C-alpha cells in the first residue's frame, strides 16, 4: 500500500463507478465490497484511515448483549453472524474473549444466565463458546480483583475482541489488492453536479501537496461518520441535521488492575449504561460513556465528568482502586447517531442501528452502525447504489473474503506483539534481520521497534508521526506519555525515509504533542 502508486491511479482520467468519501469502518467496508465485485472504486480520506470514531471503539466485535436486553433480536442476530464472519476473515486481529458479569443481587445470576444462553443460541454455528453460571467462589477465583463485598454470583460468556485501526489498515490493503484506489490525507471540498442537480463527481485537495483533483463518478458515497452533516451541507441548500454526535470515552490502565484473561462487564452502571473493562495489548481499557455533544471535533477531548464517572464505576467494582494518576491514556470517540425524530429524545432512545439515506442528487449517505456490522452495512449500501443508479448488478463477495493479513488455519500468537500484522509479521522480522539497527525499540517499556515504523511508511501509507504512533502501532492509545517520549525517534526516522528536513521534524513534533496531550488527564499534560 504505497501512496505514490495510489496517486498515479488517481490521476488517470476515468469515470469511477464508486467514489467513497471517508476512510473509517463504513467507508473502507464499502471500498472492499465494491472493488471485490469488480467496480472501479476510489476512496478518499481527509486525514488518516480510522482517524475518527473507528480507532476509538471499545475494541469489541460483539453481538450486543444490551440490545438483547432491549429486545432488539434482529440486530443481535445480525451482529452475532457478522462477529463470526469477522473472526473467520480476520482471525489475526479478532480474538475470542471471555467476559464475566458479577452479580450483587440474588436474581442477577439466573437472569443473565438465561439471557446469555439465548445469546449463544442466536449465534448458532458461529458461536465463540458457551456461557455458564458461576458461583460466588468461582467468580472470585476467575477474577481475583473483583469487589467481594455483596457478591452473589457471576456469569461467564464469550464475545470477540479486536484492534480497530489495525483492521482499518488491513481493509484498505484488501481493497487495493482487489483493484481499488485508496488514499489518505485527501479532502473532498466540493460535490460536482450536472444541470439536473445530479452528482457527477467531486473536487478534492491533497493535504500534503495542496494539489487539487477533479474526479468523475457514477456513485458518490458519503461515509464520513460524525462529519456526515458537513457533506450534506455541500449536497443540499435545504439543510437539516442528519446525525447527532454522542461522545464515549475510555480510560486505559495497567494490567494489574484486572489480572487474568477475563474481561469484566457491568450490565447496569449508576446511569443505566453498560461498562466494560477489557484486556487489550497487555493493558486494560475501561469504558464507555454516552454524552451528547454539540459539535463534531476531529480530536474530541474527554470531559471531566466522563473521566470521573468511569473512574468511580471502576473503583466500585475493582479491589485495586484506580486513581487519576494511574490513567495511562484517555481517548474520546464520537458516535454518529441518527438524529432523533422527536425533540428531547435521550441518547439511549436514539437509534443505534444504521440508516442509508438516498438524496435527490443521487448522493448515498450512511449514518450509524458499528464495527461489528461494517461488512453487512457495506453490502446493503452497494446493493442500494446498484438499484438507485442502475449499475450492472454484481453479487457481494465479502462474506467469506479473507482480509489482508489473515492466517489460514493458523491461529494467531496473541502473546507476540507482532500478531496484529498477521501474515506480514515475517516480513517485519526479515526487515530487522537485514538491518539490525531496526531492532531498536521505540520505548524501553514497549516491544514496538523501528522496523514497524519503516513498515508503516512503506506498506501502510503512514504520512505523519501521529499516523504511526496512534493507528499503526497503538502506543498513543496505550500510554500517551510513552508515545510523547517516542515521537522524536519516530519523526527522525520518518524524515530520513521520506526525505524531509528539520523544519518538518519540528512541525510534526509540535503537532503530535498537541494531539497527544488530549490523551492525558489535564494535570499530567506535557508542556
Amino acid at each position: 500500500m504505497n501512496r505514490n502508486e495510489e496517486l498515479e491511479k488517481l490521476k488517470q482520467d476515468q469515470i469511477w463507478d464508486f467514489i467513497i468519501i471517508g476512510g473509517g469502518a463504513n467507508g473502507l467496508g464499502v471500498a472492499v465490497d465494491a472493488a471485490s465485485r469488480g467496480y472501479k472504486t476510489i476512496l478518499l480520506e481527509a486525514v488518516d484511515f480510522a482517524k475518527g470514531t473507528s480507532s476509538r471503539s471499545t475494541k469489541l466485535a460483539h453481538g450486543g448483549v444490551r440490545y438483547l436486553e432491549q429486545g432488539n433480536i434482529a440486530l443481535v442476530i445480525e451482529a452475532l453472524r457478522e462477529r463470526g464472519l469477522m473472526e473467520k476473515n480476520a482471525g489475526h486481529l479478532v480474538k475470542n474473549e471471555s467476559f464475566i458479569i458479577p452479580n450483587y443481587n440474588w436474581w442477577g445470576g439466573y437472569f443473565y444466565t438465561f439471557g446469555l444462553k439465548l445469546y449463544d443460541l442466536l449465534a448458532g454455528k458461529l458461536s465463540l463458546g458457551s456461557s455458564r453460571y458461576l458461583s460466588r467462589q468461582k467468580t472470585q477465583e476467575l477474577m481475583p480483583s473483583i469487589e467481594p463485598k455483596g457478591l452473589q454470583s457471576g456469569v461467564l460468556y464469550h464475545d470477540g475482541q479486536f484492534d480497530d485501526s489495525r483492521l482499518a489498515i488491513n481493509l484498505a490493503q484488501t481493497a487495493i489488492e482487489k483493484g481499488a484506489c485508496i488514499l489518505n490525507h485527501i479532502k473532498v471540498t466540493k460535490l460536482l453536479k450536472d444541470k439536473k442537480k445530479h452528482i457527477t463527481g467531486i473536487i478534492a485537495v491533497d493535504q500534503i501537496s495542496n494539489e487539487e483533483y477533479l474526479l468523475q463518478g457514477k456513485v458518490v458515497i458519503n461515509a464520513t461518520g460524525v462529519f456526515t452533516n458537513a457533506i450534506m451541507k455541500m449536497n443540499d441548500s435545504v439543510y437539516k441535521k442528519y446525525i447527532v454526535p454522542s461522545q464515549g470515552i475510555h480510560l486505559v490502565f495497567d494490567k494489574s488492575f484486572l489480572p487474568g484473561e477475563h474481561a469484566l462487564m457491568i450490565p447496569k452502571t449508576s446511569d443505566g449504561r453498560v461498562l466494560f473493562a477489557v484486556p487489550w495489548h497487555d493493558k486494560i481499557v475501561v469504558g464507555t460513556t454516552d454524552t451528547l455533544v454539540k459539535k463534531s471535533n476531529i480530536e474530541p477531548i474527554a470531559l471531566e465528568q466522563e473521566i470521573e464517572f468511569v473512574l468511580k464505576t471502576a473503583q466500585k467494582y475493582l479491589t485495586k482502586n484506580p486513581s487519576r494518576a494511574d490513567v495511562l491514556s484517555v481517548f474520546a470517540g464520537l458516535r454518529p447517531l441518527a438524529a432523533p425524530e422527536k425533540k428531547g429524545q435521550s441518547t439511549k432512545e436514539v437509534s443505534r442501528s444504521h440508516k442509508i439515506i438516498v438524496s435527490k442528487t443521487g448522493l448515498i449517505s450512511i449514518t450509524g452502525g458499528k464495527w461489528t456490522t461494517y461488512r453487512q452495512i457495506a453490502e446493503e449500501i452497494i446493493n442500494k447504489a446498484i438499484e438507485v443508479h442502475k449499475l450492472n448488478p454484481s453479487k457481494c463477495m465479502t462474506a467469506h473474503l479473507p482480509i489482508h493479513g489473515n492466517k489460514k488455519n493458523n491461529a494467531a500468537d496473541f502473546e507476540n506483539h507482532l500478531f496484529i500484522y498477521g501474515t506480514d509479521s515475517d516480513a517485519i522480522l526479515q526487515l530487522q534481520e537485514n538491518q539490525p539497527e531496526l531492532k531498536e525499540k521505540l520505548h524501553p517499556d514497549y516491544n514496538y521497534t523501528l522496523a514497524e515504523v519503516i513498515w508503516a511508511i512503506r506498506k501502510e501509507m503512514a504520512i505523519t508521526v501521529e499516523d504511526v504512533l496512534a493507528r499503526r502501532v497503538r502506543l498513543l492509545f496505550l500510554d500517551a506519555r510513552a508515545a510523547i517520549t517516542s515521537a522524536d525517534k519516530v519523526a527522525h526516522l520518518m524524515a530520513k525515509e521520506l526525505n524531509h528536513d528539520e523544519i518538518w521534524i519540528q512541525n510534526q513534533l509540535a503537532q503530535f504533542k498537541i494531539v497527544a496531550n488530549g490523551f492525558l488527564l489535564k494535570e499530567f499534560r506535557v508542556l
Side-chain angles (χ1 to χ4, degrees):
M1 188 162 84
N2 179 293
R3 195 167 187 272
N4 290 336
E5 285 172 19
E6 295 306 296
L7 279 170
E8 284 311 307
K9 288 191 216 169
L10 170 74
K11 288 169 188 170
Q12 289 163 14
D13 189 21
Q14 60 171 310
I15 294 176
W16 299 91
D17 292 320
F18 285 92
I19 298 173
I20 301 154
I21 313 170
N26 285 339
L28 289 163
V30 169
V32 170
D33 190 303
S36 61
R37 294 196 204 201
Y39 294 116
K40 279 189 272 187
T41 305
I42 184 164
L43 177 146
L44 304 175
E45 160 56 45
V47 189
D48 185 30
F49 309 117
K51 158 71 180 174
T53 310
S54 297
S55 61
R56 297 156 190 264
S57 72
T58 314
K59 323 300 176 201
L60 300 180
H62 63 125
V65 175
R66 67 187 169 142
Y67 305 129
L68 188 64
E69 211 179 334
Q70 291 161 7
N72 197 336
I73 302 288
L75 190 61
V76 175
I77 292 172
E78 177 184 281
L80 284 169
R81 184 192 67 236
E82 291 304 314
R83 178 193 73 177
L85 293 177
M86 222 167 136
E87 199 218 7
K88 283 187 164 34
N89 296 333
H92 63 300
L93 286 178
V94 183
K95 173 176 177 265
N96 184 341
E97 180 64 73
S98 52
F99 289 74
I100 290 175
I101 300 175
N103 299 302
Y104 292 87
N105 49 46
W106 67 268
W107 55 265
Y110 304 106
F111 177 75
Y112 290 112
T113 302
F114 173 77
L116 288 159
K117 284 291 175 198
L118 178 60
Y119 194 62
D120 297 342
L121 203 65
L122 294 173
K125 282 192 288 195
L126 292 170
S127 169
L128 298 180
S130 287
S131 56
R132 66 182 200 269
Y133 175 87
L134 304 172
S135 66
R136 179 182 195 270
Q137 189 186 347
K138 192 67 182 166
T139 305
Q140 282 185 276
E141 200 182 295
L142 293 177
M143 201 167 259
S145 57
I146 195 73
E147 175 54 59
K149 198 180 168 189
L151 183 70
Q152 304 273 330
S153 64
V155 182
L156 182 143
Y157 74 98
H158 294 263
D159 240 328
Q161 197 254 11
F162 79 120
D163 188 308
D164 45 16
S165 73
R166 290 299 318 172
L167 181 56
I169 303 303
N170 288 162
L171 286 172
Q173 290 166 314
T174 308
I176 288 169
E177 284 156 13
K178 293 292 167 191
C181 172
I182 307 284
L183 278 155
N184 57 358
H185 297 282
I186 294 199
K187 186 175 184 172
V188 171
T189 54
K190 194 177 177 186
L191 301 175
L192 300 172
K193 294 173 187 170
D194 61 17
K195 284 174 187 166
K196 291 180 181 170
K197 299 258 188 330
H198 289 155
I199 290 179
T200 57
I202 54 115
I203 290 175
V205 177
D206 187 334
Q207 304 296 89
I208 309 300
S209 66
N210 286 327
E211 204 166 327
E212 190 173 84
Y213 297 99
L214 189 153
L215 302 180
Q216 288 184 303
K218 295 173 188 173
V219 186
V220 175
I221 308 274
N222 172 17
T224 52
V226 291
F227 298 102
T228 297
N229 292 337
I231 301 293
M232 289 299 206
K233 261 185 188 165
M234 287 182 201
N235 180 54
D236 202 343
S237 50
V238 182
Y239 171 70
K240 76 170 195 123
K241 259 191 182 177
Y242 287 88
I243 67 116
V244 289
S246 161
Q247 181 160 293
I249 75 144
H250 296 83
L251 303 182
V252 180
F253 299 104
D254 183 73
K255 187 87 171 70
S256 59
F257 288 93
L258 192 72
E261 296 140 39
H262 308 289
L264 172 68
M265 193 265 220
I266 307 300
K268 268 219 173 29
T269 58
S270 59
D271 74 343
R273 304 205 184 279
V274 174
L275 190 96
F276 290 101
V278 186
W280 187 62
H281 293 311
D282 212 33
K283 295 282 183 276
I284 299 295
V285 176
V286 185
T288 179
T289 54
D290 203 342
T291 315
L292 277 181
V293 289
K294 287 196 167 67
K295 224 170 109 220
S296 294
N297 266 323
I298 191 73
E299 206 51 69
I301 301 292
L303 304 170
E304 272 305 310
Q305 68 257 34
E306 292 181 296
I307 294 163
E308 282 307 310
F309 169 76
V310 174
L311 264 177
K312 276 200 177 110
T313 310
Q315 286 161 359
K316 193 177 163 188
Y317 291 98
L318 300 175
T319 48
K320 185 181 176 185
N321 282 350
S323 69
R324 291 178 72 90
D326 297 312
V327 176
L328 297 171
S329 185
V330 50
F331 58 93
L334 300 177
R335 304 174 192 89
L337 303 182
E341 305 294 329
K342 303 191 290 284
K343 255 192 162 171
Q345 262 183 314
S346 80
T347 55
K348 285 187 232 177
E349 295 171 285
V350 177
S351 173
R352 269 353 196 221
S353 50
H354 60 280
K355 262 189 195 168
I356 297 169
I357 301 160
V358 181
S359 301
K360 284 178 183 164
T361 59
L363 179 72
I364 296 179
S365 303
I366 170 72
T367 67
K370 57 179 188 159
W371 255 118
T372 311
T373 50
Y374 84 89
R375 190 212 65 81
Q376 170 70 31
I377 292 169
E379 183 179 340
E380 286 176 32
I381 291 169
I382 299 297
N383 288 346
K384 177 59 81 177
I386 292 168
E387 179 199 324
V388 170
H389 290 274
K390 308 206 170 8
L391 301 180
N392 283 335
S394 180
K395 234 174 88 184
C396 176
M397 310 294 287
T398 55
H400 304 288
L401 179 74
I403 303 303
H404 181 96
N406 191 37
K407 292 187 166 188
K408 265 191 196 160
N409 311 321
N410 186 359
D413 174 12
F414 291 113
E415 296 307 305
N416 181 339
H417 88 283
L418 290 176
F419 79 83
I420 54 170
Y421 298 100
T423 50
D424 286 338
S425 56
D426 290 345
I428 293 167
L429 291 170
Q430 194 57 55
L431 251 182
Q432 291 181 176
E433 288 312 306
N434 297 348
Q435 292 172 267
E437 68 275 14
L438 295 180
K439 285 182 185 172
E440 188 188 329
K441 287 181 174 186
L442 299 188
H443 189 279
D445 297 343
Y446 293 89
N447 289 325
Y448 302 119
T449 64
L450 297 181
E452 291 173 75
V453 179
I454 294 294
W455 184 261
I457 299 163
R458 292 179 189 171
K459 303 289 183 182
E460 296 181 345
M461 229 183 273
I463 304 294
T464 69
V465 169
E466 188 202 326
D467 291 352
V468 171
L469 286 171
R471 290 170 295 277
R472 305 305 184 281
V473 306
R474 304 305 305 271
L475 194 50
L476 181 58
F477 282 76
L478 295 166
D479 187 336
R481 277 179 289 265
I484 292 168
T485 308
S486 310
D488 190 70
K489 199 180 274 189
V490 172
H492 278 87
L493 185 60
M494 290 185 85
K496 190 178 166 194
E497 176 73 13
L498 294 166
N499 223 1
H500 292 308
D501 58 13
E502 188 60 35
I503 294 167
W504 182 88
I505 292 172
Q506 293 315 316
N507 283 340
Q508 279 294 303
L509 290 175
Q511 284 167 27
F512 182 71
K513 193 187 279 184
I514 292 166
V515 170
N517 267 322
F519 285 70
L520 287 167
L521 299 193
K522 60 183 181 195
E523 62 267 39
F524 299 109
R525 286 178 185 156
V526 179
L527 298 171

